[in-house]
Amino acid sequence: MKIKNIFFDFDGVIAESVSAKTEAFRNIYSTYGKEISDKVVKHHKLNCGVSRFDKFKYYHKEFLHELITEEKVNDLANKFSEIVLEKVINSDEVSGATPFLKKYHSKLKFWIITGTPTSEIQLILKKRKLEDFFVGVYGSPETKKYWAEHVIRMHNLNRDEIIFLGDAFTDMDAAEHSNIKFVLRENNDNKELFMNYKGPRFKDYYQLEKLIN
């Protein structure tokens, strides 16, 4: 398979930042007690990549049995950003990520497709000095399914020449929705979730390089 385009998720794929998001959800819901915060964390881990805005609505409705206003959702989202932003900016990279981006960005075209709000992921990439490697950067409120299809159609990409690098079911679902190849970035957080996944996978970018070559 000839690869010309790569769609990247960010958390858990370029940066080892998944735990920062998990602990932020635990922090926000800890005031409701351990039982609620444990439910939130469990759901979050099973649904990494889903917009935090949608998660706040779900948690208040399903776990707290409360209707939540858009204003409250935005307040929680702002609090979440305050907790995680610096942690994500300063988190370790997935081994080999920056060398891979530097080596291949002139040969391949790269996009970021993430559940993080677009303005926030743009800032994170700028602070990490990665923004110049990507043709486009796309995040919530639109979904990964929406953005994958949008990029393919806007740039008239050949679906057989694209891979989607992800670590969550939302990434795999987006790839399947657009009929493109999904490649799993395996880590300690998702190993059990993807135990039965039979497709290609990598732990670091040195493995990925061998895979695509």
Side-chain angles (χ1 to χ4, degrees), residues 10-12 14-21 52 80-94 98 116-131:
F10 185 81
D11 296 307
I14 291 178
E16 301 283 19
S17 47
V18 173
S19 61
K21 303 287 179 76
R52 66 192 63 166
F80 189 93
S81 293
E82 290 172 3
I83 295 171
V84 303
L85 186 58
E86 287 301 318
K87 291 181 180 179
V88 173
I89 290 170
N90 296 313
S91 61
D92 293 338
E93 73 172 17
V94 173
T98 298
T116 301
T118 299
S119 59
E120 186 175 308
I121 190 62
Q122 288 172 337
L123 176 60
I124 290 167
L125 292 171
K126 182 177 181 180
K127 292 290 188 179
R128 293 180 70 108
K129 295 181 169 54
L130 298 176
E131 74 270 32

Side-chain angles (χ1 to χ4, degrees), residues 103-115:
K103 182 175 181 178
Y104 288 102
H105 83 280
S106 61
K107 304 171 186 177
L108 307 172
K109 291 182 178 179
F110 297 153
W111 283 265
I112 292 282
I113 296 178
T114 176

Side-chain angles (χ1 to χ4, degrees), residues 66-84:
E66 296 177 0
L67 290 177
I68 186 171
T69 64
E70 287 298 326
E71 182 179 8
K72 177 66 173 176
V73 169
N74 290 331
D75 286 344
L76 289 171
N78 289 335
K79 181 179 180 182
F80 189 93
S81 293
E82 290 172 3
I83 295 171
V84 303

Side-chain angles (χ1 to χ4, degrees), residues 34-44 59 63:
K34 186 176 186 300
E35 182 179 353
I36 294 296
S37 63
D38 285 349
K39 285 183 179 180
V40 166
V41 166
K42 181 179 180 180
H43 179 274
H44 164 68
Y59 298 153
F63 300 156

